[in-house]
Amino acid sequence: VTATLGADGRRGERELQAGVDALPPLPEAQFGGQGETERVTERERVTERGRDSQREGQRETEAAAMNVVLAVKQYVSKMIEESGPGMKVLLMDKETTSIVSMVYTQSEILQKEVYLFERIDSANRETMKHLKAICFLRPTRINVELLMRELRRPKYGQFFIYFSNVISKTDIRDLAESDEHEVVSEVQEFYGDFIAVSPHVFSFNLTGCYEGWNWNFPALGRCTEGLTAVLLSLKKCPMIRYQVSSDMAKRLASSV
């Protein structure tokens, strides 16, 4: 434009600019304003969907963190994995047999190279040195004594021992002294000391827990151990509330 204005170009430029400034503004739609608004709205919708997905993921994570079936399944899977490859036998007691059978079918366990299921109190077990024994037992004195007898005359090549709750140092020492053939590869505590009925329901399979208005002492001990195991397996530190007029509730809360 300046070239066509010749010597008076600067004045022409100023006049041209003044004319452009004086023009009325074009409607917003001609500059793509509506399209931009639509893009912003779509971006907001995508962002909101992302937030919804994140909230749903958080809810699923929280639900999984309180899933007692998943907690026990993870314990059993870890026991089997830690024993390494090879054929295995799962050696249990009466209660842990119920605990495992509630979360795993026999066919699922077979897929993990566990080909035999035995009870620790069974007297007719055959010697199979080619098998690794995964022992999942409650830490009772009876089970400890049965395991001591097993270690003195082992029927399997290796033993991976897992207790479903806290075991005393005295019992650990007794087991160590019984391992004359050095067949024990591992001893751990896995807190699967309850029957997982559904993801948010568990049981200790107890009857006759009270006498009159007082606890049956063995039942109180079992409930305390079971509730402690649930909390440890879920990695939760609870705030305990109980009915103040109930002595049984107070004793259980104090024990936990």
Side-chain angles (χ1 to χ4, degrees):
V1 175
T2 303
T4 60
L5 291 176
D8 204 17
R10 292 179 183 174
R11 181 173 58 82
E13 265 187 283
R14 288 194 295 272
E15 290 175 354
L16 180 61
Q17 183 62 46
V20 170
D21 292 341
L23 290 172
L26 290 171
E28 185 180 4
Q30 291 180 267
F31 284 100
Q34 184 177 354
E36 182 66 25
T37 302
E38 291 176 355
R39 284 195 294 272
V40 170
T41 304
E42 179 62 25
R43 194 181 307 125
E44 289 174 350
R45 283 198 292 266
V46 170
T47 303
E48 187 59 31
R49 284 198 296 269
R51 292 197 187 102
D52 290 342
S53 178
Q54 186 178 11
R55 284 192 289 266
E56 182 64 26
Q58 288 174 347
R59 284 194 292 268
E60 290 176 358
T61 301
E62 290 170 0
M66 294 293 288
N67 188 331
V68 290
V69 172
L70 181 61
V72 177
K73 288 191 77 168
Q74 288 175 338
Y75 278 142
V76 176
S77 295
K78 192 173 182 181
M79 293 177 206
I80 297 170
E81 290 169 5
E82 288 185 350
S83 63
M87 298 176 68
K88 308 170 186 71
V89 54
L90 191 54
L91 196 59
M92 300 171 286
D93 59 39
K94 180 180 179 180
E95 290 185 73
T96 55
T97 299
S98 299
I99 291 169
V100 173
S101 64
M102 287 296 291
V103 299
Y104 268 114
T105 63
Q106 190 167 344
S107 59
E108 288 175 324
I109 294 285
L110 284 170
Q111 293 174 6
K112 298 178 179 291
E113 297 185 298
V114 179
Y115 298 104
L116 193 61
F117 306 87
E118 294 282 9
R119 287 270 296 270
I120 188 74
D121 54 355
S122 174
N124 300 318
R125 287 182 286 113
E126 298 179 12
T127 300
M128 299 181 182
K129 294 288 187 178
H130 62 288
L131 294 181
K132 298 176 180 178
I134 301 172
C135 305
F136 182 42
L137 307 167
R138 293 206 67 244
T140 63
R141 187 59 199 178
I142 293 174
N143 284 340
V144 170
E145 289 174 356
L146 289 170
L147 193 53
M148 288 166 59
R149 188 188 309 167
E150 178 72 27
L151 294 177
R152 291 191 186 103
R153 301 183 64 181
K155 293 181 173 63
Y156 311 105
Q158 282 180 280
F159 284 77
F160 297 82
I161 302 172
Y162 301 92
F163 290 103
S164 64
N165 217 311
V166 178
I167 185 168
S168 68
K169 292 182 179 179
T170 302
D171 289 339
I172 290 290
R173 185 180 65 248
D174 290 344
L175 289 172
E177 291 173 354
S178 301
D179 187 22
E180 300 169 359
H181 300 276
E182 298 183 353
V183 290
V184 176
S185 299
E186 193 162 352
V187 178
Q188 287 194 56
E189 295 170 346
F190 278 180
Y191 306 107
D193 203 16
F194 52 90
I195 296 173
V197 180
S198 70
H200 307 296
V201 178
F202 59 88
S203 170
F204 305 137
N205 203 23
L206 294 175
T207 58
C209 295
Y210 58 91
E211 298 172 356
W213 295 101
N214 296 313
W215 275 100
N216 178 323
F217 187 74
L220 175 61
R222 179 67 185 96
C223 286
T224 302
E225 293 168 358
L227 286 173
T228 303
V230 170
L231 296 171
L232 289 170
S233 66
L234 298 177
K235 299 179 176 60
K236 299 295 181 183
C237 182
M239 178 181 292
I240 300 174
R241 301 173 67 90
Y242 62 89
Q243 184 176 334
V244 70
S245 61
S246 171
D247 289 335
M248 291 182 67
K250 182 178 180 179
R251 285 194 67 185
L252 181 58
S254 300
S255 297
V256 174

